[in-house]
Amino acid sequence: MTVTYSTRTKTLLASALAATLLAGGPAAAFAAAPADAPAAVPIAAPIAAPATAAAKEIAASEYAAFLKDKFGITLSAGMNRGEFFLDLARAAQLAPAEDAVAFKDLPATSPYYDAARALYQTGVLATDTVNAPNALIAVNAVQAAVRAAGLKELAYTYPKAKAEAAVAKLPIRAASLDAKTVQELAAAIDTGLLPAAYYGQLKPGAAVSADLANVLIGKVLVFKGQFKHYIGYVSDSDIYAQLSDAYAESKIIQDEELQKIVDAALEKGLVTGYNLKDSRFEPNFVESLTLVYGHSDLNHALQLIGLLRGEGIDAKVQFEPKTSAFVYLKEWGEPGVSEQYEVKQIANGNYIEYAKEYDIAFEFATAADKDRFNGIIGAYAKKNEENQAGLIAGSWWQPLYYSLTPLADYNEITNNKIQLGRYYAQSFSLKEQSKAVVDGFKQVDPNVKVETYNFWTDVPFYNYLNGESK
């Protein structure tokens, strides 16, 4: 059974649930050093206290977990320049242009060649001498990060006095560096690319530590929009306003090319529902710490945040606009139109209805907090009887939340997904029904590419897919 959740239609769809849905610049040595970084600051402030800017500074360990999860990168003490360049290019997704680069000390057969070529072509490496086996000096690692993050032009606006005033915060003397290096370090300090906790590591000749290397590559991804995307933390004092604004700004998603396929499948009865989402809002969280929760009611989302705070759980929060589409039968009466619903009449007199909904992705601080979520929802956001007291507003009989990694007490189902450009349509199904969903879409368009993968959902929603109404 595919996902066609909406508060308005839950009762109307009850009869349909029984049917299965088919649906280096000048300072010479741009590698590794003593792990003398200060203790990592916490990811978030305690729930009871307002978060400070320092408390929200992302720790090296979080960047390290992200790089390992997304790219298989593990930065370690003793890395050389070539290794750092390789990991930086991979994480920043810098692919070399076709033109060859003749490095003075790096043959095209080197495992570091393509990365060095990409960095040279994008201006991160400013010289054709790579010195790949040499240790990477911390100062030069910061320079590389400034350039890879797209801050070079900003750096070169710094007058001498302004740049030297910023660099005075570091244990290295500006007078010992060339002008561009001082400017790049100053830009790193002022933009926050180099967090204050790591100033002490930029000693003359000091090699970069693994923690600093993780932070610098992580910061590059932040500046390039390639790190995590979220509107805030559960613990933020303004999270309710951020969530309300995100909901108010979201609209029913429309994409003519994509909907031509999935709406035709709906009209032909090959599938009975799908969701539309926009990939620009994907959180890019670490999967082992992430759950995605779907609903349609803003008040439910606000109370859910409050519920988690009251239970002592903090997490990053990303709002993902979502539209659910399903067949609305003409015998149900006039469907009406509002900011939450739009309809399109089809040939048999029925309608396709598009309902404004959302997913909220949570990235928890720990796997234990992620595990606790299921029990919290079961106790306070899972409806078991009519007019049930003690639940947050808008609680569903079958709440929907899922994980891309296995969890105890969750059941495995399948997503059947079509993506065209930034938009995608997806239809959740039982694993054994996935082929029917894929065949339904391909009957409309034999050339359409349908991606399928398994994931883990809460038991009540799994029961919904099995046709249970409660």
Side-chain angles (χ1 to χ4, degrees):
M1 181 172 295
T2 49
V3 178
T4 57
Y5 253 41
S6 81
T7 302
R8 175 187 176 210
T9 59
K10 186 121 168 93
T11 301
L12 297 176
L13 286 174
S15 61
L17 293 182
T20 299
L21 300 183
L22 306 179
F30 259 22
D36 58 350
V41 294
I43 292 176
I47 297 289
T52 65
K56 293 302 185 186
E57 183 67 65
I58 295 172
S61 58
E62 183 174 348
Y63 286 125
F66 180 88
L67 294 174
K68 183 175 182 179
D69 181 72
K70 303 299 180 183
F71 307 104
I73 291 173
T74 301
L75 297 164
S76 57
M79 78 193 84
N80 61 34
R81 289 164 56 87
E83 291 165 340
F84 180 82
F85 294 155
L86 182 65
D87 292 337
L88 175 60
R90 182 189 305 166
Q93 300 174 50
L94 298 176
E98 291 184 4
D99 297 340
V101 176
F103 292 109
K104 292 179 178 178
D105 62 346
L106 192 70
T109 55
S110 168
Y112 307 127
Y113 176 78
D114 283 342
R117 180 161 60 116
L119 295 175
Y120 183 83
Q121 290 168 338
T122 54
V124 178
L125 273 174
T127 174
D128 58 3
T129 301
V130 180
N131 292 318
N134 295 356
L136 176 62
I137 303 304
V139 167
N140 301 133
V142 175
Q143 286 182 275
V146 166
R147 298 171 188 175
L151 299 175
K152 183 168 59 176
E153 292 80 10
L154 171 63
Y156 301 155
T157 68
Y158 274 64
K160 183 174 184 291
K162 179 181 176 182
E164 290 181 350
V167 173
K169 301 172 184 177
L170 306 177
I172 193 168
R173 294 176 59 250
S176 67
L177 306 169
D178 64 80
K180 283 191 173 182
T181 302
V182 177
Q183 289 174 310
E184 288 165 339
L185 292 178
I189 291 166
D190 288 349
T191 60
L193 184 142
L194 177 64
Y198 294 91
Y199 290 175
Q201 295 197 21
L202 270 70
K203 299 172 183 175
V208 70
S209 69
D211 277 355
L212 179 55
N214 278 306
V215 168
L216 292 174
I217 294 180
K219 288 284 189 177
V220 168
L221 300 186
V222 170
F223 276 88
K224 292 173 67 68
Q226 296 171 357
F227 191 58
K228 303 172 184 180
H229 304 290
Y230 49 99
I231 61 173
Y233 290 76
V234 167
S235 60
D236 286 343
S237 60
D238 68 343
I239 189 60
Y240 304 107
Q242 295 295 336
L243 193 56
S244 295
D245 288 348
Y247 180 83
E249 292 169 4
S250 67
K251 302 182 185 305
I252 291 173
I253 299 171
Q254 296 179 330
D255 183 76
E256 184 177 354
E257 184 181 6
L258 181 56
Q259 289 177 271
K260 183 178 180 180
I261 299 169
V262 289
D263 281 354
L266 271 180
E267 188 166 359
K268 293 175 181 290
L270 302 172
V271 297
T272 57
Y274 66 83
N275 294 325
L276 283 176
K277 295 183 71 175
D278 185 338
S279 61
R280 295 177 303 172
F281 293 90
E282 291 179 352
N284 205 25
F285 288 161
V286 172
E287 292 179 359
S288 61
L289 297 173
T290 301
L291 282 172
V292 179
Y293 187 96
H295 210 280
S296 60
D297 180 358
L298 173 62
N299 196 32
H300 183 84
L302 297 174
Q303 292 195 16
L304 177 60
I305 296 295
L307 175 61
L308 293 178
R309 287 170 68 110
E311 292 295 314
I313 287 183
D314 200 7
K316 293 183 179 68
V317 178
Q318 173 63 343
F319 180 91
E320 299 181 75
K322 180 175 71 177
T323 294
S324 286
F326 55 91
V327 174
Y328 184 99
L329 302 180
K330 58 185 177 182
E331 55 262 35
W332 291 348
E334 280 297 318
V337 177
S338 71
E339 289 187 359
Q340 277 68 45
Y341 306 97
E342 292 181 4
V343 296
K344 178 179 74 175
Q345 194 160 26
I346 53 181
N348 63 4
N350 292 329
Y351 300 84
I352 295 176
E353 179 160 312
Y354 309 96
K356 173 180 171 177
E357 299 188 0
Y358 60 79
D359 283 337
I360 296 179
F362 294 104
E363 187 189 64
F364 299 93
T366 66
D369 282 349
K370 178 178 176 177
D371 290 342
R372 288 181 58 205
F373 186 86
N374 192 39
I376 292 170
I377 297 301
Y380 304 110
K382 162 70 174 81
K383 190 174 182 180
N384 295 306
E385 58 185 54
E386 293 289 352
N387 303 316
Q388 182 177 345
L391 300 179
I392 63 174
S395 293
W396 282 346
W397 294 96
Q398 292 114 334
L400 164 60
Y401 49 98
Y402 58 88
S403 169
L404 295 179
T405 57
L407 284 173
D409 302 321
Y410 286 62
N411 288 338
E412 196 172 5
I413 62 173
T414 300
N415 189 16
N416 308 280
K417 176 181 176 181
I418 302 171
Q419 180 149 6
L420 298 177
R422 79 185 203 218
Y423 295 111
Y424 59 92
Q426 61 183 16
S427 182
F428 296 169
S429 70
L430 298 173
K431 291 195 296 181
E432 60 269 23
Q433 294 166 357
S434 175
K435 184 178 184 302
V437 177
V438 173
D439 289 347
F441 288 134
K442 286 188 172 293
Q443 185 174 325
V444 174
D445 182 352
N447 297 316
V448 71
K449 180 180 178 181
V450 185
E451 177 190 3
T452 63
Y453 58 86
N454 295 336
F455 61 106
W456 289 261
T457 189
D458 59 291
V459 171
F461 184 74
Y462 178 83
N463 293 339
Y464 169 81
L465 292 183
N466 272 298
E468 298 182 20
S469 59
K470 294 184 179 180

